[in-house]
């Protein structure tokens, strides 16, 4: 747990040992404290070095133990950090790999800190719904000042050693032999006065406008937090460092930590942390899994189509140091695509420069633009991102099948289309897979990986490994229209539009959803994505447009309720932001400020009058429940169909692809939190009121879980009927 050894005559080395990341479990903390006490009591020891096994200092407190933590517990870690600082002998932290959260707090208790050039430090607690609770909120501001401490503690961002040195978090960077160098330093400084090295004894560096800095920071984090409590509590703790003596500041930190720990948000965010790691360990019903399938190396990739998605995908691949061939259909589109990719790469390079990273990873020399499919002969993997048109996609895959080398992986970025139908036109359907990126593709962390009927385990492993290489989170799902994310989005958007028919304004629906924590409500989201996208899809399905059978009632399709509202908007050229008008009015085409539109209010009133709909007041609760529970209901059906293999998969997709607020843990976690009987009863109520909306009728799987007494979320999939498997 923590190994104690002597290095030379006078230095004791304490090595934290808890694979894989040296998390500070109570056993590790206890062993660390014993080591420090032992060194203190041994007169032959003149100095101490603390380091971590396996090239990592420590990733902080053991998150798995938080659920069993009693709110009244006094963190033993904080006491150990104080113990280190109080030591009569100099203690040097030798930081390799990571010193995060409690790991950094241990390092701040030390009198000196040396880090390897590749090491990262930070306080990511805020992302887990808590705050640094082993005196970190009191020591860091004393060491690096309030503005920098506010930034690190409220964002949770990791900083590389170079930036940490600049900020004053560490004293020295080394390129190799970190522990040896720390031992040398420890020997050198032994006997020197320690007072000036004890951070808790330092005052917080004073600034004339301290009050203003703190209040501006509070306004900023509140605006961004969308209901998350931890960033605001971090500021309160930092404020305590400014206003109170160290010991009282520590008391305040503990009080805030206890509050956050009991808030429910911490539980949701920690669930999300482990869910993200769980989805990486995919398994198929056949038993094949990440353990047995091996990914193939991808050195050279191609992207077909450089529109909204293709340009972001190219940027991601170049950033990951791959050779990339970017292909378009004509010179004009190729030039537009080249310009867009170049500017995205420049933007990425400037971001990297700011954070002290090497910019050569955005090297455009690795990129070839072409109109010639022949340039794809030697690529290891192709990602097709042309228009959402099955005939076109098939034509492209037919071509790829003859041109690419036989072992090349063929991926489609389709948002909803059938992977099997696309794969069927190739001679290697087992090498075809869906890789559904999210817009903007160089920013969004999610990659929905869709397995077709014939897709091989190697192809899956390669696509999942590609996600990791691109610094994204890959989630493996089954093949159905819309897969997981867009399939669940459909009933959510449908409810939002029905609510407009019944009496709401777009901004009322958006405000309710944004109040829940979403970055954007459904109407702002639709305007951003472009209303024409859905219109084209509905025309393709014969729900509107020339394929619609004459005499079809305006608000009904096959006995189901249908709203032609979005079709009418598209007929008026109101395609959303790009047209300067959609559900909202924008300052200009491409404008971003959504303003309520009086034209739309009139239009809605006339529409209701035409169709004999009496507008009614719909409260926030009904807006939220109808939108969110329709989405969650589809999630239960997706689990029953085995399109997603666990609720965690759905939750990760929604957090990283659709802006579901992390502090609500994802839609399925949210359902488990509010209680399955509650979700069921509300769906029953709404479906009775709207019997013509099938998506409000509770999923049989949700009913089954309720009948079984609402087992905990981790047990849900064990109740799925196996023969219905589509995975
Ligand atoms: C904290 O430190 C609070 C303090 O202020 C003290 C509070 C006082 C009260 C304490 C009372 C107890 N714990 O990500 P990977 C697992 S809060 C437990 O795949 P990578 C992870 O689940 C903590 N487990 O690897 C996975 O397990 P699996 C603040 C942890 O190389 C395995 O390690 N620290 C863990 O891609 C590998 O992880 C953080 O938030 C932890 N702290 O990334 C850091 N950290 O194999 C969180 C990881 O079973 N960790 N695991 O699936 C990370 O950001 C990333 O894991 C790293 C490594 C960047 C460390
Ligand atoms: P887009 O219209 O912006 O771009 C498509 C590009 O494909 C155009 O530049 C076009 O010139 C090019 N193209 C068309 N035919 C081609 C051919 N034969 N050869 C080479 N290039 C050709 O479309 P988009 O929004 O980037 O969508 C692309 C795909 O990604 C679609 O399947 C879409 O459903 C999916 N998708 C889109 C989003 C989104 O938010 N836009 C999100 C996820 C997935």
């Amino acid at each position: 747990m923590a190994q104690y050894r002597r290095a030379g005559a006078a230095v004791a080395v304490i090595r934290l040992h808890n694979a894989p990341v040296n998390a500070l479990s109570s056993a590790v903390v206890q062993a660390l404290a014993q080591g420090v006490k032992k060194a203190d009591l041994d007169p032959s020891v003149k100095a101490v070095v603390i380091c971590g096994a396996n090239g990592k200092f420590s990733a902080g407190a053991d998150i798995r133990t938080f659920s069993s933590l009693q709110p009244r517990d006094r963190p033993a870690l904080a006491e150990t950090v104080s113990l280190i600082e109080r030591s009569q002998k100099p203690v040097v932290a030798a930081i390799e790999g990571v010193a995060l959260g409690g790991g950094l707090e241990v390092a701040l208790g030390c009198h000196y800190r040396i880090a390897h050039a590749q090491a990262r430090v930070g306080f990511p607690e805020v992302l887990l719904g808590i705050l640094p609770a082993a005196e970190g909120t009191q020591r860091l501001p004393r060491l690096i000042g309030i503005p920098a401490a506010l930034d690190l503690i409220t964002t949770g961002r990791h900083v590389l050693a170079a930036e940490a040195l600049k900020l004053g978090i560490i004293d020295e960077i080394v390129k190799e032999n970190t522990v040896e160098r720390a031992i040398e330093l420890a020997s050198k400084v032994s006997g020197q006065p320690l007072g000036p090295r004890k951070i808790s004894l330092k005052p917080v560096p004073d600034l004339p406008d301290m009050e203003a800095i703190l209040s501006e920071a509070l306004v900023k984090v509140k605006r961004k937090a969308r209901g998350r409590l931890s960033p605001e509590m971090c500021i309160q703790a930092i404020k305590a460092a400014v206003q109170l003596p160290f010991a009282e500041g520590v008391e305040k930190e503990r009080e805030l930590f206890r509050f956050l720990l009991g808030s429910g948000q911490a539980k949701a965010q920690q669930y999300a942390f482990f869910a993200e790691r769980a989805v990486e360990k995919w398994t198929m019903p056949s038993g094949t899994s990440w353990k047995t399938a091996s990914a193939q190396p991808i050195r050279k990739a191609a992207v077909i189509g450089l529109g909204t998605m293709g340009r972001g995908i190219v940027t991601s691949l170049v950033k990951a140091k791959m050779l990339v061939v970017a292909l378009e259909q004509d010179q004009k589109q190729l030039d537009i695509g080249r310009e867009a990719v170049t500017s995205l790469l420049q933007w990425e390079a400037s971001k990297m420069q700011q954070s002290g990273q090497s910019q050569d990873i955005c090297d455009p020399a690795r990129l070839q633009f072409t109109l010639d499919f022949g340039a794809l002969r030697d690529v290891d993997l192709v990602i097709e991102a042309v228009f959402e048109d099955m005939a076109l996609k098939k034509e492209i895959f037919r071509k790829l099948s003859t041109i690419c080398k036989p072992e090349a992986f063929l991926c489609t970025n389709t948002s909803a289309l059938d992977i099997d139908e696309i794969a069927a036109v190739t001679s290697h359907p087992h090498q075809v897979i869906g890789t559904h990126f999210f817009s903007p593709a160089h920013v969004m962390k999610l990659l929905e990986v869709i397995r077709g009927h014939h897709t091989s385990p190697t192809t899956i492993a390669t696509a999942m490994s590609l996600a990791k290489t691109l610094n994204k989170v890959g989630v493996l799902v089954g093949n159905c229209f819309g897969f997981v994310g867009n399939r669940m989005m459909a009933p959510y958007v449908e409810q939002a539009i029905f609510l407009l028919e019944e009496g709401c304004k777009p901004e009322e629906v958006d405000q309710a959803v944004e109040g829940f924590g979403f970055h954007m409500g459904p109407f702002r989201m639709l305007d951003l994505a472009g209303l024409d996208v859905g219109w084209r899809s509905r025309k393709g399905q014969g729900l509107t447009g020339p394929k619609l059978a004459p005499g079809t009632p305006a608000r009904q399709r096959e006995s189901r309720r249908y709203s032609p509202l979005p079709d009418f908007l598209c007929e008026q050229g109101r395609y959303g932001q790009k047209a300067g008008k959609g559900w909202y009015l924008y300052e200009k085409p491409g404008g971003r400020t959504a303003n309520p539109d009086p034209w739309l209010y009139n239009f809605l009133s006339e529409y209701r009058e035409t169709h004999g709909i009496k507008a009614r007041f719909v409260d926030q609760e009904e807006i939220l429940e109808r939108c969110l529970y329709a989405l969650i209901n589809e999630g239960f059906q997706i689990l029953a169909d085995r399109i997603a293999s666990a609720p965690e998969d759905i939750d990760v997709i929604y957090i990283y692809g659709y802006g579901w607020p992390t502090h609500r843990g994802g839609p399925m976690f949210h359902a488990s939190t509010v209680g399955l009987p509650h979700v069921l009863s509300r769906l029953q109520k709404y479906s009775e009121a709207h019997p013509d909306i099938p998506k409000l009728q509770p999923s049989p799987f949700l009913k089954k879980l309720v009948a079984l007494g609402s087992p905990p979320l981790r047990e849900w999939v064990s109740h799925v009927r196996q023969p219905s498997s589509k995975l």
Side-chain angles (χ1 to χ4, degrees), residues 496-514:
I497 294 169
F498 289 158
L499 285 162
L500 287 200
E501 289 190 332
E502 290 166 36
C504 292
K505 294 176 178 156
E507 53 273 28
E508 285 167 352
V509 178
D510 281 353
Q511 273 159 17
V513 171
E514 286 161 18

Side-chain angles (χ1 to χ4, degrees), residues 20-21 59 61-64 102 105 124-125 128 132-133 273-274 277 281:
V21 294
D62 188 340
I63 306 166
R64 287 184 202 277
E105 288 173 306
E125 284 89 339
L128 297 168
F273 174 86
F274 289 115
R277 275 136 192 98
K281 302 183 174 84

Side-chain angles (χ1 to χ4, degrees), residues 129-144:
I130 52 170
L131 47 68
E135 306 179 354
T137 63
Q138 305 304 299
R139 278 199 179 81
L140 193 67
R142 286 174 162 79
L143 186 64
I144 66 172

Side-chain angles (χ1 to χ4, degrees), residues 304-310 327-329 333 373 384-388 392-393 395-396 413-415 436-439:
I304 306 180
L306 302 178
T308 310
M309 296 307 290
L327 186 142
E328 255 294 346
Q329 59 176 338
Q333 290 305 121
F373 267 82
E384 164 279 307
V386 301
F387 306 128
E388 186 77 337
L392 175 62
K393 294 203 190 265
E395 182 193 318
I396 301 265
N413 188 47
T414 174
S415 317
H436 182 203
F437 289 77
F438 286 68
S439 178

Side-chain angles (χ1 to χ4, degrees), residues 413-426:
N413 188 47
T414 174
S415 317
L417 300 177
D418 185 355
I419 307 296
D420 293 331
E421 196 176 334
I422 296 172
V425 302
T426 71

Side-chain angles (χ1 to χ4, degrees), residues 342-360:
T342 307
S343 87
L344 287 179
L345 285 173
Q346 280 165 354
W347 182 70
E348 289 289 332
S350 76
K351 256 193 353 184
M352 284 173 170
Q353 191 179 21
Q354 280 164 23
S355 64
Q357 287 169 273
S358 152
Q359 305 146 53
D360 74 343

